[in-house]
């Protein structure tokens, strides 16, 4: 289509009150002078989207798959990392991968809504059927978005709650306690319970110490950031 091509074709278009209002509101928000101009622009945008919809959908699927693979690999590397020596690196890598995965999920939902609209309008038997498909797709995406947000919040809370807790160290405590115990393995319940209690006490102390160190470092960084302002 060429912008230089004269507009000579007229046709009648019937709109509902809601459709007309939606178009007028969109035109007003973008400072478009008339409803006809708004409709022309929306049609042009829709045709451009439709031309790339299939390729976008395939690329989006590949991006989603790759981001998930990246996230899983970071998780696997974290398990292989010496937590005492590289704990900070593992933590930052995991947090960054989770942030990346969250952004990709949000992008996927937004693009799914747009592409779903293009595909529904293109393939539905009637316009009313397309509208119904769009409503159902919007409802599904809203539910998905809410579920993902809840999962992310839960994962963040769990990560912070269990930060600095070395569960591998728990197995070492249990293993050492059972080895030095004279009890048979079938009668080692009390030994194992005592070992878990000892590990938990140590884990609490380590967690409190690390959190105190993190707070001190953050306060020191804040003081350094504020220092130039105070010297002015």
């Amino acid at each position: 289509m060429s912008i230089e091509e004269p507009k000579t074709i007229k046709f009648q278009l019937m709109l509902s009150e809601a459709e007309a209002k939606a178009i007028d509101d969109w035109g007003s928000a973008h400072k478009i002078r008339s409803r006809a101009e708004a409709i022309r622009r929306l049609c042009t945008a829709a045709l451009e989207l439709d031309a790339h919809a299939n390729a976008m959908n395939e690329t989006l699927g590949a991006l989603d798959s790759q981001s998930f693979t990246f996230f899983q690999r970071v998780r696997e590397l974290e398990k292989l990392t010496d937590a005492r020596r590289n704990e900070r690196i593992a933590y930052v890598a995991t947090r960054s991968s989770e942030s990346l995965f969250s952004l990709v999920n949000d992008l996927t939902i937004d693009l799914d809504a747009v592409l779903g609209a293009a595909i529904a309008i293109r393939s539905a038997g009637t316009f009313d059927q397309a509208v119904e498909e769009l409503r159902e797709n919007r409802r599904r995406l809203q539910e998905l978005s809410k579920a993902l947000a809840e999962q992310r919040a839960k994962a963040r809370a769990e990560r912070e709650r269990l930060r600095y807790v070395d569960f591998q160290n728990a197995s070492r405590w249990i293993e050492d306690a059972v080895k030095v115990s004279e009890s048979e393995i079938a009668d080692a319940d009390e030994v194992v319970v005592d070992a878990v209690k000892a590990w938990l006490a140590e884990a609490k102390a380590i967690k409190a110490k690390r959190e105190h160190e993190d707070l001190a470092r953050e306060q020191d960084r804040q003081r350094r950031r504020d220092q130039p302002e105070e010297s002015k």
Side-chain angles (χ1 to χ4, degrees), residues 6-43:
K7 280 71 171 174
T8 58
I9 298 175
K10 294 182 180 180
F11 70 98
Q12 185 177 13
L13 175 65
M14 304 297 291
L15 296 172
S16 68
E17 290 289 339
E19 289 168 342
K21 184 178 185 306
I23 291 171
D24 291 342
D25 289 346
W26 183 86
S28 177
H30 296 85
K31 299 180 180 177
I32 297 172
R33 62 179 181 270
S34 68
R35 180 182 292 172
E37 176 68 12
I39 291 173
R40 274 196 297 271
R41 294 197 189 193
L42 286 169
C43 287

Side-chain angles (χ1 to χ4, degrees), residues 14 16-17 20 31 38 40 43 52-53 58 92 99 101 105 114 118 120 139 146 148 151 159 177 183 188 214 232:
M14 304 297 291
S16 68
E17 290 289 339
K31 299 180 180 177
R40 274 196 297 271
C43 287
H52 298 281
E58 291 178 7
V92 170
S99 297
F101 196 51
N105 276 336
V114 174
R139 182 195 62 76
K146 181 180 178 181
L148 286 173
Q151 289 177 8
R159 183 182 64 227
S183 303
D214 280 353
K232 289 179 183 179

Side-chain angles (χ1 to χ4, degrees), residues 192-218:
V192 171
V193 169
D194 289 343
V196 171
K197 287 181 178 178
W199 163 77
L200 190 57
E202 181 188 67
K204 288 178 181 178
I206 292 174
K207 181 175 174 61
K209 179 183 177 182
R210 298 285 181 82
E211 289 175 343
H212 178 74
E213 290 172 350
D214 280 353
L215 179 61
R217 279 194 293 269
E218 180 58 33

